[in-house]
Amino acid sequence: MARKPKAEGAASRLWKASPLTFVTLIAAAIVSFFPFYWMVVIASRTNDAIGSVPPPLTPGGNLFDNIGRVLDNENAAFVTGLTNSLIISTVVTVAVVFFSSLAGFAFAKLRFRGQNAMLLIILATMMVPVQLGLIPLYQMMVKFGWQNQLQAVIVPSLVSAWGVFMMRQYVSQTVPDELIEASRVDGASTWRIYWSIVMPALRPAAAVLGLFIFMQTWNDFLWPLTVLQDPANPTVQISLRSLNQAYYTDYSQVFAGTALATVPLAIVFILFGRQIISGIMEGAVKA
Amino acid sequence: MSVTTRRRFAAVALASVAVLAVTTACGDDGDEGSSGNEQIKLTVDIFGEQGFGYDELIKKYEADHPNIKIEQRGKGMGLGDYNTRLTQWMASGAGAGDIVALEEGTIVQFKAQKQNFVNLGDYGAASLESNFLPWKWNDGKAGDQILGLGTDVGSMAICYRKDLFEKAGLPTDRAAVAQQWPTWDAFIETGKKFQAKSGKVKFVDAATNTYNSILMQTAGNGTGYTYYDKSDKFVLSSNPDVKTAWDLTVKAIEAKLSAGLQTFSDPWATGFKQDQFAIVTCPAWMTGVIKGNAGDAAAAKWDIAKAPGNGGNWGGSFLSVPKQSKHPKEAAELAKFLTTPEAQLEAFKALGNLPSSPKALEDPTLLASKNDYFSNAPTGEIFGAGAKDFKPVYLGPKNQAVRDAVENALRSIEQGQRTPAQAWEDALKAGEAASK
Amino acid sequence: MTPNTADRTRRGRPAHSHAQPPPPRKARGTFGTRLDMKTSPYLYVAPFFVIFLIFQLYPLVYTFWVSLHNQPLGGEGEFVGADNFTALMKDEQFWNSVYNTLGIFVVSTVPQLLIGLYLANALNRKLRGRGFFRMTMAVPIITSTAAVAIIFGQIYNRDFGIANWVLGWFGVENIDWRATKWASWIAISTMVDWRWTGYNTLIYLASMQSIPKDLYESAALDGASARRQFWQITVPMLRPTIIFTVIISTIGGLQLFAEPLMFSSGSGNYTGGTLRQYQTVTMYLFENMFTRFNLGYAATVAWALFLLIVIVAFINYLLTRRIGSAK
């Protein structure tokens, strides 16, 4: 592509962050990190730390001891919980991202009968509070014989109205109609257009969606609690909840478990996050 | 849960076929009982940190009944989560175990749907009445139906901080402390003495705890019911016992005796470590809560004294058999076995759950038991006496919802948001709404 | 990115959300192409609708059916028609929860989206440690809700909390954060914002990255300041995404549940404070279901909430549609 030297100078000046912005970002980073850090502090201390005034601000030496107690806690079945949650969250995330981008593309760039009505239905679904669906949904699972099975948690979550809507907005903003038309003229099939034009353009948004769906599925509690009745076959959130005593909370153990349950999330974030962090920007700023 | 339904569904959900193939491998088909066969599996749903202390009893029962396998679910689960699950199982007609544990607050709610539970009287439970404290037996009944058999009781005593009492110039010996408060009025007077010298430390943790203890006792000696009379008529505004308990509690609040913390909240838990209060009204199970929250640092500082008035109760559970069970007969037999005086004593030995059987409460091992965290207080004796002195109180179907409304009103006085008169109006109004 | 990105972006400004898709070309192609054009869209939305119909729509229809009954939990319902709905219209506790929900929604969402936009714009620049700062935005998302609740519970502790400790420097007396409407709304809003601002930042950032840089280059040549570029290029170009976040925040905000519920840890917490200072509509729904065991009425609350969200989302949509196009 041809470059205009003059423009480059003016643009790059504007693209630099001011010192004020920098300070704001540092403040935002501290605010974001503090509760996370504090979780590690409590996880590495004894249960007495939580009520101390002033609160302890440095990690103690009990982290591995507390993690050991989490793993040894028979009621919690923590390792099974982690494994189950990994399976559930992975399958759900892949499915939601795929189905959402496919449907989002169809709604944004294809034309078909009933399109607007369908989109409206999708929008409306998001607006209905899900909690009340629990009982009919549970009865359905009983009919299918899916109680205690992971698919009872997976299948209802395979699609997300929210994901379709997000992808639809993003595709309509990012992929120009002309590009699609041009491909059509060149004889590309709809699938090819989706696969080689839309998908690549969607990567940053797909990363955000995937990240978010993974977190959401990972943190889901009420539905798994209802349908996975066997305490030996929990999700990680149910395991975490079982670390609580009946009437009082052993915070050091709960936070050690929480920290442990956050490790997979951190890994997933780093994987997905690369798309967001190093995504288009690298090329764009240089251009 | 037939195979055909599942297959038909899988055919419809084209997109998820691959997923199903992956996931059907994980997990098994739960408790589809093969009724009629000789091999029977019974599921017992319980809750709480350690469950109900039934491990040994179940082993014994399985040994005596080779055709029965028993599975316990719910160890480590808190009461709130357990009740949410149970509510959904009962509402959808599937999922509950063959035996479910119902806490005293829960059984009251489920009495309104007694048709969903087996009448244990049909399986010979009627003759067991003498195995239980009279009020406990009554609480397990919904009309003529025997809905639940009692397991443990909470009883009621006062847990107090010896060191803080000493600083305030009050006696610290548990007998002498109990003598300070023969009545709740005297209790409040003692509180005022305490408050005069204690500075920032408050006498009690929360006015609501005091209120509930007073109410249950007053109602036991008085009308025998609280927010609903025995025909389930809503009587919040007309029951004198409620007003008596309310007025006494307001007196305590106005004397600034309460730290105004919400029980079982995080600030409440912090309050134990920060010496914010000297007293917690404690049923037997509360001793573990105090120990957990206050930590080892406070070990020798706590003690237990008899509560004002005569006896009381907070907590304790029942075992019931839902109609959903495919083996109601076998389940009822097991429930009977798990609630015998001998079994209750076993559970006490395992976990310290206070029996609801008068015979078990007389047992020498129980009477001799002491709690070293609470300065070696004779817990078996103190709590046993509290449970035996307690007189039955009838609780209506939406007792919990109404109680929340009244407690909220009391706390709004503690927060300084409402005058006692305004709060009483609030309580009547919100209680009325909750009772519907 | 793929090499064709730069190419693609040069072709012109992306379409806006309300722009119609291109008219299908006259079918000049083979039978296969025509079939592709006709059936592909349906195939692409089919997985969504199949699962949606079975697992999401059916429970909702069922809920509506339940709302027409006087249905106790676990018992037989009695058909009462619209009685529940008329009772709801006169229900003070319901309207109180609507008021709280809208109040907390406004207090939390407006700063959340504005800060998100500001942070995304900052992160879209040349900056030392940019990767690190972008990472930090997601930290609140991966922290579990339970941990957040406990931590903020401590921060807003009446007697020992950090919030009151800091306010104490300015001579403010200890605030009982759970006692008054305003204090509790602010406390809950900070909790919500802490958790969701970073998420909106990332969504905005992902969209900002797709804005063609030539637009900025030519604006820079014309001498437009960074601020002007932000309001005249970035914001209008982000319009579909902003509409998305506003609608999502509306839906999430009006269904607010976990944060206010956990804010009052302890017993009886569905009421959201002693005087229902911060009881949201969803909490009221749960109160009816799990404390009062009135399934029919709970279903009615759910449907009323649905209508409320539709109305608010529509108003917000109309407002946000004016972004950019008015300028």
Side-chain angles (χ1 to χ4, degrees), chain C residues 109-132:
Chain C
T109 308
V110 174
Q112 178 187 332
L113 295 183
L114 289 178
I115 296 171
L117 208 52
Y118 175 80
L119 290 176
N121 192 44
L123 289 171
N124 201 19
R125 296 176 175 271
K126 261 189 188 157
L127 185 72
R128 195 185 301 257
R130 191 176 60 197
F132 167 78

Side-chain angles (χ1 to χ4, degrees), chain C residues 7-29:
Chain C
D7 240 25
R8 162 174 72 70
T9 49
R10 275 170 205 284
R11 281 171 190 272
R13 297 165 60 118
H16 291 315
S17 68
H18 59 279
Q20 281 301 311
R25 320 198 118 236
K26 288 254 152 56
R28 279 175 307 180

Side-chain angles (χ1 to χ4, degrees), chain A residues 265-276:
Chain A
L265 291 187
I267 293 171
V268 166
F269 176 67
I270 290 164
L271 292 178
F272 280 99
R274 282 167 55 109
Q275 286 293 329
I276 307 165

Side-chain angles (χ1 to χ4, degrees), chain A residues 195-214:
Chain A
W195 193 251
S196 45
I197 297 175
V198 176
M199 259 313 227
L202 274 181
R203 265 162 48 186
V208 175
L209 176 66
L211 176 72
F212 189 74
I213 293 291
F214 196 95

Side-chain angles (χ1 to χ4, degrees), chain A residues 14-15 21 31 112-113 125-128 132 140 162 172-174 184 190 212 215 269 277 281-282, chain C residues 8 14-15 36-37 42 52 58 60 63 122 124-126 134-135 138 142 194 199 229 241 248 251:
Chain A
L14 283 164
W15 283 99
T21 312
V31 169
F112 51 102
R113 203 183 292 270
T125 331
M126 290 191 295
M127 301 183 186
V128 183
L132 218 84
M140 206 185 301
W162 180 84
S172 67
Q173 177 190 318
T174 323
R184 286 254 191 247
T190 315
F212 189 74
M215 305 303 163
F269 176 67
I277 280 139
M281 272 308 288
E282 301 303 320
Chain C
R8 162 174 72 70
D36 173 37
M37 299 276 282
Y42 294 105
F52 163 77
Y58 164 74
L60 294 176
T63 301
N124 201 19
R125 296 176 175 271
K126 261 189 188 157
R134 288 183 184 174
M135 280 284 191
I142 65 172
W194 181 79
Y199 154 78
Q229 289 188 28
T241 309
I248 290 298
I251 293 166

Side-chain angles (χ1 to χ4, degrees), chain B residues 319-396:
Chain B
L319 296 184
S320 296
V321 178
K323 279 260 172 72
Q324 299 172 15
S325 168
K326 295 190 186 75
H327 313 288
K329 183 170 176 294
E330 289 79 5
E333 287 306 319
L334 179 59
K336 277 156 67 181
F337 168 78
L338 291 172
T339 53
T340 57
E342 296 73 29
Q344 289 191 23
L345 208 54
E346 282 299 316
F348 174 78
K349 282 174 192 157
L351 288 181
N353 289 353
L354 194 70
S356 63
S357 146
K359 194 173 152 214
L361 287 172
E362 298 288 335
D363 189 87
T365 24
L366 183 135
L367 290 174
S369 66
K370 288 185 174 19
N371 189 324
D372 55 355
Y373 187 87
F374 289 86
S375 317
N376 276 318
T379 42
E381 192 190 314
I382 295 176
F383 288 118
K388 277 187 285 185
D389 286 347
F390 181 63
K391 297 203 182 66
V393 174
Y394 174 79
L395 301 175

